Amino acid sequence: MQIPLIHIQRRFILLLIGFLSCLPSLASAVRDTISLAGEWQYYLLGAPASISGEGFITLPGTLDQQHKSVYNPESDNTTQLRREFSFSGGAQYTREIEIPQNWKNKNIELYIERTKPSKVLIDGKEAGVNSRISSPQRYDLSEFLNPGVHTIDIIVNNADSIPPTVSRSSHAASESTQTNWNGILGDFILEARNKFHIENIYLNENLEENSLKIKILFSEEAKAGLILKSRLDSEKTLTRPISPGKKEMEIILPLSPQTKRWSALDPNILSLNFSVENSGNEIIDAYSLLTGIREFRANGNTFEINGHPLFLRGTVNAAVFPETAYSPLDEERWEDYFKIIKDYGFNHVRFHSWTPPEAAFNVADRMGIYLQTELPIWGELDRDMKFHNRFLKEELQGILEAYSSHPSFVLFSTGNELWGDISLMEEYMNYARTNNPRILATYGSNVYLGMNGRIGQEDFIVSAKTSDEIDNSVRGSVSFADSPSGGYFNSNYPNSKANFSHATKDIHVPVISHEVGQYQSYPDFDIIEEFTGPLKADNLKEFKKRSIEAGTYRKNKEFSKASGQWAAKLYKAEMEMAQRSAGIAGFQLFGLQDYPGQGTSLIGILDPFMQTKGFVSTREWSESNDDLMILAEFPKFSFIEGEIVEIPVLTANYTQNSDSLTTIIWEAGFKKGSIPATPGEGLIEIGSIFLPVPRVDKPMKETLTLRSEDGSVSNNYDFWVYPKNYSQIPNVTVTDNLKDALILLDQGEKVILCPDSLTSAEASIKPLFVNDFWNYRMFRTICDEMGLEPSPGTLGLYINNNHPSLSRFPTETHVDWQWFPIVANSRPLIIDRLPKDFNPIVEVIDNVERNFRLALILECNVGKGKLIILAADKDKISEYPEGRWLLQSLMEYMDSKDFKAPVTLTPEQIVNLVTKPSNARKIKELKNETYNSRWD
């Protein structure tokens, strides 16, 4: 079949009309291009017999999107989303092109913005190979493309041409994220230039001397008589001769005092323009780029931007793009993404083991976002892995060539959670900062899980901890594979005073907290219907099926909201703890959106499509995540009437203005006041609020609100006040002895049973105050392999807060800080043997992998007696006012006419409920690249 010739079009390399008007002869220096977008013939090399393996496809595009590959049927696999269509191997894309006569003796380059390792043939002759997957592929086809009609074949191989260490786990190609697609994406052109032309530009500011150093690379050695004209934005055009015989030159552009600096707060974009002319004033070539002038550096433990302290409030981008199964290549979708990022107060994004395309850098430059990019590696570096190392070196060269001029590109990491040859990591790091001195570089993100602290000469570190000591974690929550307690928030009485300063005292470069948070929430299964692209939510369908079988699906919405609202509060505490910490220079959440791979980690306050789940508003979130914040250091959140509480107040000021706040007004319902703000940038201690806790006749929830005078900056903290004294209820017996409880119930008594842990051990699980970390299946596997006890795996509480039994215990429908001593000393009962429509007063939300029905508080009639089961240690919770008043509230309810248990159970059912093991679902294993490695 005849393949249609491609339409020829023209584009100018210079887009800036201002420069054209100053250099009118530049119009003759345009670079001609031919778009290769359109219909191509394709052949799948080694295609299975079940498909034809050939036909026509539209490029740019992928085989998956156009259903030109193998169909994958639905499955019950919960590891990741299902690729509806997939192909692994070589795909040959073929069509004819016509080269115009005026391209004779030109340099002709094939430009492919994004693809997998490829080989190009022109009229059947091999014209080159290119392995770059993190940056554009460029082919010099000058010797192959004389004027006339030619056949071009591009063979894209997404199989053995990519090292398995990259395709298995890196987010550049992992099936957990954007998938290892096959196709061609983004700009796809042939470009004709004069033989002598500008290949690339490298920049380096020297703001002390107020100048810009520019390195220019040429395509070949310069002939005599050539000159270079250059201009920064609207400043004066400078003319310099190009030394004959040279392929590169360096120039210094002086910056005027009026040259605007770039930062996330003030993202000033400048145009940088070049032309090459011969002795006859003929323009040989022209080149322009948009950039920003800025100085990003480390000063001790702090990042600075243009001399001002900077705190990086970041989130991880793990290449989750379910609409397409690949990263957007257009600026519009990146604008949508970064707008959401900024709406939630973030100023930083880390690209986990991958590098985004040009559009992402362009938009980040324009909107003001600091970016960290990485090589596509998560795992081991070993000098004996020759193919692997050649691939990564080529990737690094491509990243630096393509993106170094972008002011948003400030941080580089060799990869994610690396181990192995440290000297090899150092080589990559040094190569990066030598070839792009505008960036700061580190060995890798969370190298050796942070157990080695700072290894060598990194400019900064991204780490979960700063040594092998458990207490040197710089995250509030960690997996049970990393700490038997699950981290600070799960094992310490709640407060907003603690920080990580002790963990950074021996680290003298900026520390960024690695992959902070990872708090799961229960899914809203309605999201399943939104997966209309190449990726299908079979994992969520399977979880929904299990939820229906278990009897929890009827509370899907309630569980999602309760677990998510609690996750949002935990994230708030996590972000503030990092920002209160001297020595912490930033954090990187993992993540703002769900991660639908690696076992399905529903850890976002946004869904995989970057849509809100309704857990928290952007305003509420940014109270703890913004350039200017007011932070209150509560020593605890539960108080007894009559206490006088000192609450230190801090400001975190990264506005580049030391006088952003003058006065802070505070109010706590029963008292209000103001304190003057201390001028300064960074973390500033400004004084204390002394809060006299009033007398109350019943427990109350209060809120301390702090705000600026104009109300533009605010924060608030909930706390609880309890009366000192409470009355005895003689008609209600509280016991931890099951036998005694049954005897009393048989006599028609009112009983609160708090089963002792030995009695309920087989019928209950251990407590977890915070939401489970990442996902239950993966860390359960890791803990089993390490011989450690896994996380209890739960996702907070769903509370019937309108139930009269809680009338003297103020609470929301979700768990909050006042529940800590109760949950921490509990053993939630597995109630799978009770009817599916049975509703506990307080239900513990289980993870979607296991789907136990769990109760913390339930009520029933037993014979003539009345029973409440509180699955907690009565003595331990009674040491706290929260626990005493929960028991008080339950006793008053039992002794009132309001007690109306919805179900009657037999003594035998109670015995079985409290003592007999449940049929547990077998959890499949799920390996992890990091924890499968050797650390010795």
Side-chain angles (χ1 to χ4, degrees), residues 181-234:
W181 48 266
N182 191 308
I184 289 173
L185 298 174
D187 285 347
F188 186 29
I189 60 170
L190 288 173
E191 183 171 57
R193 304 170 291 203
N194 286 319
K195 292 288 187 181
F196 184 86
H197 58 269
I198 296 172
E199 285 279 4
N200 210 346
I201 304 287
Y202 290 91
L203 310 176
N204 188 23
E205 299 96 336
N206 186 336
L207 297 190
E208 290 183 2
E209 298 181 2
N210 207 33
S211 64
L212 180 64
K213 183 178 180 180
I214 306 174
K215 181 179 180 180
I216 302 136
L217 304 183
F218 300 115
S219 58
E220 59 185 22
E221 293 180 359
K223 294 183 173 64
L226 297 180
I227 62 170
L228 178 78
K229 290 186 176 180
S230 57
R231 193 183 72 189
L232 177 64
D233 217 55
S234 59

Side-chain angles (χ1 to χ4, degrees), residues 262-265 267 312-315 334 337-343 345-351 360-361 363-372 406-410:
W262 183 95
S263 71
L265 288 174
L312 292 179
R313 305 179 308 277
T315 184
W334 281 108
Y337 173 81
F338 284 126
K339 181 181 184 302
I340 294 169
I341 294 298
K342 291 183 75 75
D343 285 348
F346 294 99
N347 61 5
H348 169 49
V349 175
R350 170 197 166 211
F351 292 92
F361 288 95
V363 175
D365 292 347
R366 193 163 61 243
M367 295 182 68
I369 300 285
Y370 302 107
L371 304 184
Q372 175 185 328
H406 291 281
S408 58
F409 182 11
V410 295

Side-chain angles (χ1 to χ4, degrees), residues 567-588:
K569 282 183 166 284
L570 290 166
Y571 276 120
K572 171 185 169 77
E574 186 91 55
M575 293 188 295
E576 289 195 5
M577 189 170 179
Q579 293 182 86
R580 289 194 303 267
S581 304
I584 297 293
F587 61 79
Q588 295 167 347

Side-chain angles (χ1 to χ4, degrees), residues 862-892:
V862 182
K864 296 178 292 182
K866 299 177 181 179
L867 175 66
I868 284 181
I869 298 179
L870 168 59
D873 187 314
K874 66 180 182 63
D875 295 327
K876 289 182 178 179
I877 69 172
S878 295
E879 295 173 8
Y880 300 87
E882 305 96 305
R884 292 194 293 270
W885 276 96
L886 176 61
L887 283 169
Q888 178 75 18
S889 188
L890 295 176
M891 287 189 289
E892 290 184 14

Side-chain angles (χ1 to χ4, degrees), residues 750-795:
K750 302 167 185 174
V751 178
I752 296 177
L753 173 62
C754 301
D756 70 88
S757 58
L758 290 177
T759 300
S760 66
E762 295 296 319
S764 63
I765 65 171
K766 288 192 173 181
L768 184 66
F769 180 58
V770 300
N771 288 7
D772 192 37
F773 188 87
W774 192 240
N775 69 62
Y776 181 72
R777 179 183 167 197
M778 190 181 81
F779 277 102
R780 171 67 185 263
T781 301
I782 294 167
C783 286
D784 287 349
E785 292 184 344
M786 296 175 70
L788 301 172
E789 187 168 7
S791 163
T794 55
L795 310 179

Side-chain angles (χ1 to χ4, degrees), residues 240-401:
R240 294 175 176 82
I242 302 173
S243 299
K246 298 293 185 181
K247 287 192 67 175
E248 65 179 61
M249 70 182 293
E250 287 189 355
I251 62 173
I252 303 294
L253 279 183
L255 302 175
S256 73
Q258 290 75 39
T259 302
K260 293 181 178 180
R261 303 298 190 254
W262 183 95
S263 71
L265 288 174
D266 197 10
N268 293 297
I269 299 298
L270 305 175
S271 60
L272 188 56
N273 308 283
F274 303 89
S275 68
V276 177
E277 297 182 11
N278 60 20
S279 56
N281 294 326
E282 179 187 6
I283 293 179
I284 303 301
D285 193 36
Y287 191 103
S288 73
L289 57 86
L290 299 177
T291 189
I293 304 301
R294 50 88 174 147
E295 184 180 46
F296 186 93
R297 65 172 184 161
N299 183 3
N301 290 115
T302 305
F303 289 117
E304 289 185 349
I305 182 71
N306 303 325
H308 294 277
L310 170 67
F311 191 94
L312 292 179
R313 305 179 308 277
T315 184
V316 170
N317 183 299
V320 175
F321 305 106
E323 308 98 319
T324 55
Y326 58 77
S327 165
L329 277 293
D330 62 287
E331 293 191 8
E332 183 179 359
R333 282 187 288 173
W334 281 108
E335 285 173 355
D336 292 341
Y337 173 81
F338 284 126
K339 181 181 184 302
I340 294 169
I341 294 298
K342 291 183 75 75
D343 285 348
Y344 281 88
F346 294 99
N347 61 5
H348 169 49
V349 175
R350 170 197 166 211
F351 292 92
H352 179 308
S353 63
W354 77 291
T355 295
E358 185 83 18
F361 288 95
N362 288 340
V363 175
D365 292 347
R366 193 163 61 243
M367 295 182 68
I369 300 285
Y370 302 107
L371 304 184
Q372 175 185 328
T373 189
E374 298 180 341
L375 289 180
I377 177 64
W378 168 15
E380 183 178 13
L381 288 179
D382 186 331
R383 287 190 184 276
D384 292 335
M385 301 163 67
K386 304 298 185 185
F387 170 42
H388 171 269
N389 294 329
R390 285 196 305 272
F391 186 92
L392 291 182
K393 185 64 176 292
E394 183 65 24
E395 288 295 285
L396 178 54
Q397 290 172 342
I399 290 168
L400 297 174
E401 288 173 10

Side-chain angles (χ1 to χ4, degrees), residues 464-465 470 473-490 517-519 574 768 770-774 779 791 931:
K465 54 170 55 174
I470 290 175
S473 172
V474 290
R475 298 193 295 204
S477 178
V478 299
S479 79
F480 275 64
D482 297 300
S483 169
S485 67
Y488 184 86
F489 293 135
N490 195 55
Q518 305 190 41
Y519 299 108
E574 186 91 55
L768 184 66
V770 300
N771 288 7
D772 192 37
F773 188 87
W774 192 240
F779 277 102
S791 163
Y931 291 86

